[in-house]
Amino acid sequence: MERIYIFLGLFSFVFFLEAIGGSYINSAVQNIERQFQMSSKTSGFMISASDFGYIPCVVFIAHFGSKGNRARWIGAGAILVSITYLMLATPNFLFPQGHHDINTTAVAAQLKPTAAQLASNSTLRELLSYQLIRDRMSQDTYMALMKLEDETTPIEDYHPIGKPPSSNNTSYTIDGWLIDEAIIEADKVINNGTSQNNLRNSLAMFIRRRVNSSEKDIKKIRISAAAPFTFCGTLTNSLRAIIKDSKCEEQSSNNYPFMVFFFSLFFLGIGRTVPWSLGVPLLDDNIKKKSLPAYFGAISSIRVLGPICGYMIGSFCNKFYYTLNPPNGLTPADPTWIGAWWIGFLFIGTVALFPSTMLFFFPQGKQGSSSAVQLHDVHKEKLKKTVDEDRTIKMKLKDFGRSVKSVLSTKIYIGSVLGRVCDILAFKGYIVFLPKYLENHFGIPQYLVHRYMAMFGVFGFGLGAATGGWVTKKLKLNGRRAAMFVMLMSTVNVCLYSAKMFIGCDSIVNSIGLNNRETNYNFTRVCNSECACENARLYPVCDPTGYAYFSPCHAGCREAKQYGSNPLLDFTSCECAAGGVVSKKYCENTCKTSTVVFFLTVLPGSFVAGLGVVPAMLILLRSVPPESRSLSLGLQGMAVSLFGTLPSPIIWGLVIDAACLVWDKTCNGARGACAIYHPDRLRVWMHLLYVVIRTIALFTDIYVWKHAKHLNIMDEPVSEEKDNIRRNSIKMQAVQPDQ
């Protein structure tokens, strides 16, 4: 096998792994936001960190790296990228969200019965003052009982009708089975006027069981307080507040994890400057120009397989909870689920180290042999022979300045770069926050979102890139024909994304926001005002009619029950809900049709976007002199990063945050991650922004078409034809038998 093909394989594999990492970062963003309580604006700025490293380095590395061993430069950059992927996983271990030591003295004091409550003639009023009983009684029942005359007859032994729940079933309230019997007796007292004896006896039995069960009761309350759901109960929710304060004391803000992510991505940006700006010209030096469209199409397709794998890895990792020990009642389909995002970074970083190291030590081969690979830029080598090798740094900088001026004076190059800047400005932010949009707007679980993006979006783009390379070669698209092809693809892309503005749906989470517009998204009602729901996190549940609530606490539910291993809990004694019960099983997804329609536009949209990649890349590459190719790609990379990838996630993050209706709060009371968005604003603003930017790109494509009349992207330049003839003759001599 020829050495160039080995290099091509390694180069493609490194590109493949780099592309895996790029898409995997997108799949991890929302999990990172939730774990470390970051807003979209903050996470968008964090994602842009790679461009802060890329921009100042890309031009100089492209210029000076092209004068050395390009394979070694590419390998060094890829090794740095591998290390940064490993660094990106470290915040999960440096800032764990694990067990916290808390002071439960106040809770234990409320669990300890008073002497009056333990007395043999304790009154109903005294028994009802016990906090666990008060938390379990509905407001109406409690007030009705408090209005009754106290009876002082002696308390008798109570003989329960039922039994404690089996070990297969779980109740999150202490002795809930006994309180249930007491509530039945309370209804008899209120509605039928029966004696208070049975009610007092059952309540007294409940309180006496607490005397020697303090540690066991605190443990159960702590389990309820640490659960992902919140139900009505002052004692449990006060402990939840204590746990939150304890976490805040240990980790006052998300600044430290943000800094680790930021600097890791900063060095990632430095590492990724090398492969594209040096690798493409290296292949151009070793492959016939007529074959380049096919090779570039193949490389683009191989590289596109990376995002497919990246999203599939993201889908796999998001099925695991980030602590690897999911709490009861939480599944990957929940909007508050945090996937194990750090696993993918460890995997990608470890695997990428091996081909990166092989590229760094890749041998050129014997000079002049048929298997030799031209690792140094042939055009730079020719220029070296015509100038004094002992030039000063000042002269080299002047030469660099002249080269930059020469590249920037090319109209086609400027138009092409502006078009690609607009493409990336629209695409980067959109694709980073698309998983969030799909989860919030259509109610699709994260792991399925990433799978769908791989199946429809990335696959369509890769297929389009391969098809675009084949079409360019088959139809011999040259000059204006190639520019016209790119312009037509941009037009179709704008039309398809314009249609997405009208594909809407109200998911379960969206309906919670819509149901509370009249109260300005204040979820507190008279029926849940005594529940202490201030620290409740989003945990959507529905009543049997399908009406959605922010959490079981806001539905006024006082008990949570789990039957066997079924993760869908039932929340009962709900004062605000029809039927008095809520559960996730009553939440019906009505977005299936609109989801199908949306993804039917994704596949052709991504395919059309991919069709223009190869001709646009060849137009850019052929618009400058051969000796300026590395520099032109470096300048293009700098422009795309500075004006495209750097501001794009920040702009999109600001737009998405502007559509937020309900925010989580951080320890210092500032905004954390967004819980609920305005569905119409989010849908229209996201796609309108994309369409406006891509329309500007369309005008730059028209500008390129106007000036591309004499552009030659398919035929061999005369000087390079001679180089290829020489290389082919060497290869033929190498395979001829000795005479």
Side-chain angles (χ1 to χ4, degrees):
M1 180 182 290
E2 294 188 22
R3 199 179 300 269
I4 182 59
Y5 296 122
I6 298 175
F7 176 84
L8 183 62
L10 285 173
F11 180 71
S12 299
F13 190 44
V14 167
F15 253 23
F16 172 69
L17 293 170
E18 183 188 340
I20 286 179
S23 63
Y24 185 78
I25 290 173
N26 296 339
S27 75
V29 168
Q30 192 162 2
N31 292 312
I32 293 172
E33 283 183 9
R34 287 173 179 164
Q35 182 171 343
F36 299 105
Q37 283 300 300
M38 297 181 185
S39 65
S40 296
K41 178 180 67 176
T42 302
S43 64
F45 183 72
M46 180 185 75
I47 293 297
S48 296
S50 64
D51 295 293
F52 285 107
Y54 184 91
I55 292 167
C57 299
V58 62
V59 176
F60 294 101
I61 288 178
H63 180 71
F64 294 106
S66 63
K67 297 182 178 182
N69 185 322
R70 290 176 288 185
R72 185 156 294 178
W73 278 83
I74 294 169
I79 290 172
L80 179 59
V81 168
S82 304
I83 294 172
T84 57
Y85 283 137
L86 296 175
M87 291 171 59
L88 284 169
T90 57
N92 182 72
F93 308 101
L94 295 176
F95 312 102
Q97 309 287 308
H99 180 83
H100 297 269
D101 294 327
I102 58 174
N103 186 351
T104 58
T105 304
V107 176
Q110 294 186 69
L111 285 175
K112 185 177 180 180
T114 65
Q117 291 167 343
L118 294 173
S120 60
N121 61 345
S122 180
T123 65
L124 180 61
R125 199 178 301 272
E126 289 170 339
L127 295 172
L128 290 174
S129 66
Y130 189 66
Q131 188 60 54
L132 282 179
I133 294 175
R134 175 67 190 89
D135 284 346
R136 189 64 178 79
M137 290 279 183
S138 70
Q139 181 73 2
D140 292 341
T141 301
Y142 175 80
M143 294 304 297
L145 291 174
M146 292 295 287
K147 293 177 181 178
L148 299 177
E149 293 288 336
D150 282 330
E151 295 182 6
T152 57
T153 56
I155 300 291
E156 300 177 357
D157 291 338
Y158 179 74
H159 302 286
I161 300 173
K163 297 180 180 179
S166 66
S167 57
N168 293 329
N169 300 330
T170 303
S171 174
Y172 283 82
T173 52
I174 296 172
D175 283 353
W177 60 278
L178 187 54
I179 290 291
D180 285 341
E181 293 190 14
I183 291 174
I184 294 173
E185 294 296 334
D187 289 338
K188 292 179 181 179
V189 171
I190 295 170
N191 298 321
N192 303 331
T194 59
S195 172
Q196 299 176 13
N197 287 343
N198 273 348
L199 174 59
R200 290 171 60 220
N201 294 342
S202 60
L203 294 178
M205 178 181 178
F206 176 85
I207 293 175
R208 289 168 183 171
R209 285 172 62 91
R210 308 279 71 77
V211 174
N212 298 317
S213 303
S214 178
E215 290 186 8
K216 183 179 178 182
D217 290 347
I218 289 176
K219 182 178 180 181
K220 188 153 193 175
I221 293 173
R222 180 164 182 160
I223 292 173
S224 299
F229 51 83
T230 309
F231 55 88
C232 187
T234 303
L235 198 59
T236 301
N237 291 337
S238 65
L239 184 59
R240 183 182 295 272
I242 293 172
I243 293 173
K244 181 181 179 181
D245 292 340
S246 175
K247 290 181 180 179
C248 289
E249 289 176 5
E250 294 182 20
Q251 185 176 323
S252 58
S253 71
N254 54 28
N255 291 337
Y256 295 117
F258 173 82
M259 289 173 64
V260 175
F261 284 121
F262 185 89
F263 285 107
S264 299
L265 289 166
F266 177 84
F267 289 112
L268 175 66
I270 295 176
R272 72 180 180 88
T273 58
V274 187
W276 188 252
S277 59
L278 298 182
V280 171
L282 191 154
L283 294 176
D284 196 24
D285 280 340
N286 290 276
I287 297 172
K288 289 183 178 181
K289 301 301 169 285
K290 290 182 178 179
S291 301
L292 275 180
Y295 276 96
F296 282 164
I299 291 174
S300 297
S301 298
I302 291 172
R303 193 186 183 196
V304 166
L305 287 175
I308 292 178
C309 293
Y311 283 121
M312 295 304 288
I313 292 173
S315 174
F316 174 78
C317 293
N318 278 322
K319 281 195 167 185
F320 298 95
Y321 198 60
Y322 77 104
T323 62
L324 301 182
N325 184 25
N328 284 341
L330 203 62
T331 69
D334 282 295
T336 52
W337 178 268
I338 304 175
W341 53 271
W342 50 271
I343 294 177
F345 285 124
L346 291 178
F347 173 76
I348 296 167
T350 303
V351 173
L353 272 174
F354 296 99
S356 304
T357 305
M358 293 176 69
L359 266 181
F360 183 80
F361 293 106
F362 191 83
Q364 177 171 320
K366 188 176 180 181
Q367 190 69 29
S369 68
S370 61
S371 61
V373 179
Q374 187 62 51
L375 298 181
H376 295 75
D377 194 326
V378 292
H379 305 287
K380 297 288 185 182
E381 296 293 327
K382 291 176 183 178
L383 287 175
K384 280 184 181 180
K385 297 176 183 179
T386 62
V387 297
D388 184 10
E389 295 183 357
D390 297 326
R391 292 180 303 162
T392 63
I393 295 177
K394 185 177 180 180
M395 294 175 66
K396 290 181 179 179
L397 289 175
K398 283 185 177 180
D399 176 48
F400 175 70
R402 284 193 296 268
S403 299
V404 171
K405 185 178 179 181
S406 173
V407 170
L408 296 181
S409 63
T410 307
K411 293 182 179 180
I412 297 176
Y413 175 81
I414 293 297
S416 182
V417 168
L418 288 175
R420 302 301 70 79
V421 166
C422 291
D423 288 346
I424 295 300
L425 182 63
F427 177 77
K428 175 76 174 185
Y430 183 85
I431 204 69
V432 166
F433 293 108
L434 183 59
K436 171 179 283 193
Y437 172 75
L438 293 174
E439 183 184 20
N440 282 273
H441 199 72
F442 296 104
I444 309 173
Q446 276 197 69
Y447 72 95
L448 285 180
V449 165
H450 302 132
R451 193 177 300 174
Y452 292 160
M453 288 177 68
M455 291 167 56
F456 294 95
V458 184
F459 174 75
F461 187 85
L463 185 62
T467 306
W470 179 82
V471 169
T472 303
K473 182 179 180 181
K474 188 71 174 179
L475 301 182
K476 297 181 180 179
L477 299 179
N478 217 351
R480 278 191 169 180
R481 294 180 67 195
M484 174 63 76
F485 184 77
V486 174
M487 185 175 66
L488 288 175
M489 295 306 103
S490 294
T491 303
V492 175
N493 190 269
V494 167
C495 294
L496 286 170
Y497 275 83
S498 298
K500 292 183 182 181
M501 279 190 283
F502 305 99
I503 305 173
C505 177
D506 293 333
S507 65
I508 298 300
V509 175
N510 286 341
S511 66
I512 295 173
L514 296 174
N515 291 342
N516 292 271
R517 282 177 294 187
E518 296 179 357
T519 61
N520 196 27
Y521 312 105
N522 183 353
F523 302 105
T524 301
R525 304 285 186 276
V526 174
C527 56
N528 61 34
S529 58
E530 302 292 326
C531 295
C533 301
E534 292 80 9
N535 292 311
R537 300 288 299 276
L538 176 66
Y539 189 87
V541 287
C542 302
D543 62 23
T545 67
Y547 187 89
Y549 298 87
F550 188 87
S551 74
C553 188
H554 290 96
C557 302
R558 297 180 178 273
E559 186 170 16
K561 296 179 179 179
Q562 183 176 14
Y563 301 102
S565 59
N566 187 356
L568 300 180
L569 282 72
D570 282 345
F571 300 91
T572 58
S573 303
C574 306
E575 293 184 63
C576 306
V581 61
V582 297
S583 176
K584 284 185 176 292
K585 64 188 177 185
Y586 297 129
C587 297
E588 185 178 354
N589 181 13
T590 59
C591 294
K592 293 181 180 179
T593 302
S594 55
T595 301
V596 172
V597 173
F598 181 88
F599 279 101
L600 285 178
T601 65
V602 170
L603 185 59
S606 57
F607 178 77
V608 167
L611 281 174
V613 168
V614 172
M617 183 168 57
L618 290 173
I619 289 172
L620 180 74
L621 199 62
R622 292 284 181 254
S623 63
V624 296
E627 63 272 10
S628 301
R629 291 168 308 174
S630 289
L631 179 61
S632 68
L633 289 173
L635 288 170
Q636 183 237 11
M638 185 184 74
V640 166
S641 291
L642 182 60
F643 302 110
T645 55
L646 174 62
S648 182
I650 300 174
I651 294 172
W652 287 87
L654 288 169
V655 169
I656 290 171
D657 280 348
C660 185
L661 297 175
V662 180
W663 293 90
D664 290 332
K665 298 295 182 182
T666 61
C667 292
N668 57 12
R671 288 178 175 179
C674 183
I676 300 177
Y677 291 91
H678 191 293
D680 296 332
R681 291 178 191 169
L682 185 64
R683 182 183 72 251
V684 174
W685 290 356
M686 274 193 68
H687 293 97
L688 183 61
L689 178 62
Y690 183 94
V691 168
V692 169
I693 298 173
R694 283 305 301 264
T695 302
I696 297 172
L698 177 58
F699 284 109
T700 65
D701 292 335
I702 295 173
Y703 176 84
V704 171
W705 171 81
K706 180 180 178 182
H707 293 89
K709 184 175 181 180
H710 302 293
L711 181 65
N712 180 14
I713 67 173
M714 295 298 296
D715 298 328
E716 301 271 1
V718 176
S719 59
E720 296 193 23
E721 281 185 355
K722 293 179 180 178
D723 289 341
N724 281 329
I725 291 172
R726 176 183 57 80
R727 284 201 293 265
N728 288 335
S729 64
I730 292 174
K731 291 179 181 179
M732 290 181 66
Q733 292 173 10
V735 297
Q736 286 178 353
D738 295 333
Q739 299 296 326

